[in-house]
Structure formats: C-alpha cells, structure tokens
Amino acid sequence: MNETLLASSSSSGDMPWWAYVLCLLVVGAGAYFAWRARQKKIAMYRAWAAQYGFHYEPSDNSVTGLSTEDPFNEGHSRKGIDVFRGMYKNVHIVFFQYQYSTGSGKERKTFNHQVVAIGLPTARPLLDIGQENFLTKRFAKDIDFENQAFNDFFRIKSPNRRFAYDIIHARTMEWMLQDQRARSYPWRFEGPWLMTFRSGALKLEEVFFYADFLIDILAQVPKHVWANH
C-alpha cells in the first residue's frame, strides 16, 4: 500500500512530455528573438560606422589587452564587443564595450564597461588617474603633489614618478580641479593609448563627448614628454 502511494506520488510529480516541449519552445523562441535583436543592432552599427567613417567589428577580443589595470584585469571570459576604430579630430580612436565575467554556474555574473581611447604620439608608461574615496585615502598608495587640494581629490598611480610629474604639472592640476569631466571620470595613459571608461553598455551618443575630453587632456601634455622616458 505504501509503495503504491509512493509510486503514485512520484508519478504525479513528474512533468508531462508536453511541458518539456513547451519549455524548449519558450527557450528557443527567446534565443531566436535575442539573435534577431542582435542582428538588427549589428546592422545599425554598421550603418553608423559607414556614415561616420569608422571600421566596425561586432566582436574583437584583441581590445581586451588595451590595459593591464582595472577593469581589464578582472574576472574571466573577457570580450570586446561592438568595436569601432578610426580617426577623430586627427587622432586615432577606438571605442567599444568591454565585457568580463566572474564566478561560474549560478554564481556567474557578467559586467560591461564602455571604453573610449585615443592614440598617443608615442607609447608611454602607465599613469592612472582617479578620484579619492574613503578606502583609497586610508589603504591605497599614490603619488602626492605640491597642491594639497589636488591630493585630497585625485588618486594618481604610476610606476614612473617622473612621467607622472611631467604630465601633471601645476597648470594641469589647476585644470583638473576646475574641469567637471576630470573631476568625474577616471582616465589612464598606458602604452600607446589614453583612455577613459565607465560601467555599462556602449552608447554611441556619448562617445564623442568622452573623445573630446581625452583630446583636451592630451592638449595639456608638454611636447617634451613625447621625446623623453
């Protein structure tokens, strides 16, 4: 009697065959519509790139090596998505969506960043500029300058102190303290690139705003910097 009840209970808990088919259809439909949406986005990006004179690749993982610092040194499964390359106001430019994941299985999380970078006249050492916060003030080492108001607001990291002092001279410090973009966004010299980035997906309507910001930073750099180091 007990065995019969157990068998009946087990049988009633199983999903009928049509429920499995329905699940497969729902998953398949979701995948199809996601694929269609992606294809439409790629077509739109190709048209935009052609209009503005950029080269576009839907996927190009070579850009994941653009930097060795955060967020490029985070997680696994790193990808370059919707990568645009070309010229803007006489400088080389690349912008894209950078993606990486942490964890696996149910614990897996995926993160996206928008990256905009312009080419430098010559490759230079790492120089990372960000904003101070409670944790960095207490636990992170950075380079101090003669302007204490500057030190209180900005966090400057570089393995090459001479390069840092050449880039961030007195006039640049005053400009950084007054410019709202410099006070709001991180930026970084590394190798042949000057870059800025933020969390979230790529938004083409923002790209030229960030590119202009980087060009303004470049304009602050003394010419002798490109001949030394």
Side-chain angles (χ1 to χ4, degrees), residues 72-146:
F72 293 87
N73 58 356
E74 299 286 337
H76 58 81
S77 304
R78 299 164 184 165
K79 298 178 181 179
I81 301 170
D82 296 326
V83 181
F84 294 80
R85 290 185 173 87
M87 297 293 294
Y88 176 70
K89 294 186 177 179
N90 297 318
V91 296
H92 290 282
I93 186 173
V94 58
F95 47 95
F96 57 94
Q97 181 171 312
Y98 171 68
Q99 183 181 95
Y100 70 90
S101 298
T102 60
S104 60
K106 292 182 178 180
E107 302 299 319
R108 184 184 176 105
K109 294 181 179 180
T110 299
F111 301 88
N112 290 289
H113 287 76
Q114 174 180 275
V115 181
V116 180
I118 63 172
L120 300 176
T122 53
R124 285 297 174 253
L126 169 69
L127 174 59
D128 194 62
I129 296 94
Q131 291 73 42
E132 289 279 23
N133 57 48
F134 175 77
L135 292 177
T136 59
K137 285 182 178 180
R138 288 181 62 87
F139 303 110
K141 292 183 178 180
D142 64 352
I143 300 174
D144 285 332
F145 294 78
E146 65 272 16

Side-chain angles (χ1 to χ4, degrees), residues 1-12:
M1 180 67 177
N2 289 339
E3 293 178 357
T4 301
L5 289 173
L6 287 172
S8 176
S9 175
S10 175
S11 174
S12 63

Side-chain angles (χ1 to χ4, degrees), residues 23 26 36-38 64 71-72 82-83 102 111 117 123-124 126 137 142 149 151 170 188 192 215 221 223:
C23 288
V26 170
R36 281 288 302 273
R38 176 61 179 159
T64 62
F72 293 87
D82 296 326
V83 181
T102 60
F111 301 88
R124 285 297 174 253
L126 169 69
K137 285 182 178 180
D142 64 352
N151 294 334
R188 177 181 301 152
I215 290 171
V221 179
K223 291 184 179 179

